[in-house]
Amino acid sequence: MVRPGEGETIVLGPTRMRVLEDGGNTAHRLGVTESVLAPHTPGPPQHRHTQHDEGFYVLSGTVRFTIGTQDHDASAGTFVLVPPGAPHTFANATGEPAVMLSVFTPDLYVRYFRDLRDMTADGRTASPGTHLEAMSRYATEPATEHLP
């Protein structure tokens, strides 16, 4: 059980993440995080996972998901499931905070967020290159065919 205010906190620039399950209690079958995206927060470079599913449930605000070349604005109550191989990214394009619950199966991506935090611990902002370097360690690759 993880109560309000509990759980590991990971701050990645304007995004504050709370780890609810890091895979330690599920033999690494499942990871779960809650993320607060500040207004006008860009997301990671568009990418695809080769070994894990990723699901997002928008709790409040609106999150813009880009799947390939299509943008989808997901308001509170929307669930988005991204299977392995699907190119995707997300961002908060609005002037209000957005909160979402993310699930990863298996838990690979919780470790990615920790690595990204450690790579930017000296105050650097996570550049697209920093994201891609960390992603490469967790069965994730850039979806370069969809870059502008």
Side-chain angles (χ1 to χ4, degrees), residues 14 37-42 92-96:
L37 285 69
H40 308 291
T41 297
N92 180 359
T94 75
E96 299 295 323

Side-chain angles (χ1 to χ4, degrees), residues 32-88:
V32 182
T33 62
E34 175 191 65
S35 298
V36 179
L37 285 69
H40 308 291
T41 297
Q46 189 151 190
H47 58 279
R48 63 174 53 86
H49 308 291
T50 61
Q51 296 180 11
H52 66 278
D53 298 281
E54 189 171 32
F56 304 92
Y57 183 73
V58 180
L59 297 167
S60 66
T62 300
V63 179
R64 176 165 294 155
F65 289 90
T66 303
I67 312 297
T69 59
Q70 296 184 348
D71 290 334
H72 304 274
D73 288 339
S75 58
T78 302
F79 179 71
V80 176
L81 179 64
V82 180
H88 66 285

Side-chain angles (χ1 to χ4, degrees), residues 7-141:
E8 175 186 3
T9 299
I10 298 174
V11 177
L12 300 170
T15 299
R16 182 178 197 82
M17 178 178 293
R18 186 166 66 117
V19 178
L20 304 174
E21 173 55 53
D22 69 356
N25 296 306
T26 64
H28 302 287
R29 292 183 310 270
L30 177 70
V32 182
T33 62
E34 175 191 65
S35 298
V36 179
L37 285 69
H40 308 291
T41 297
Q46 189 151 190
H47 58 279
R48 63 174 53 86
H49 308 291
T50 61
Q51 296 180 11
H52 66 278
D53 298 281
E54 189 171 32
F56 304 92
Y57 183 73
V58 180
L59 297 167
S60 66
T62 300
V63 179
R64 176 165 294 155
F65 289 90
T66 303
I67 312 297
T69 59
Q70 296 184 348
D71 290 334
H72 304 274
D73 288 339
S75 58
T78 302
F79 179 71
V80 176
L81 179 64
V82 180
H88 66 285
T89 189
F90 60 87
N92 180 359
T94 75
E96 299 295 323
V99 181
M100 63 182 180
L101 187 72
S102 301
V103 295
F104 316 96
T105 179
D107 70 330
L108 288 172
Y109 241 45
V110 174
R111 289 175 274 160
Y112 157 76
F113 295 120
R114 288 174 175 154
D115 276 6
L116 195 60
R117 172 200 58 206
D118 294 347
M119 293 170 75
T120 59
D122 63 359
R124 290 182 296 147
T125 301
S127 69
T130 305
H131 279 280
L132 295 174
E133 179 185 339
M135 286 176 180
S136 70
R137 293 191 282 265
Y138 299 100
T140 301
E141 56 194 26

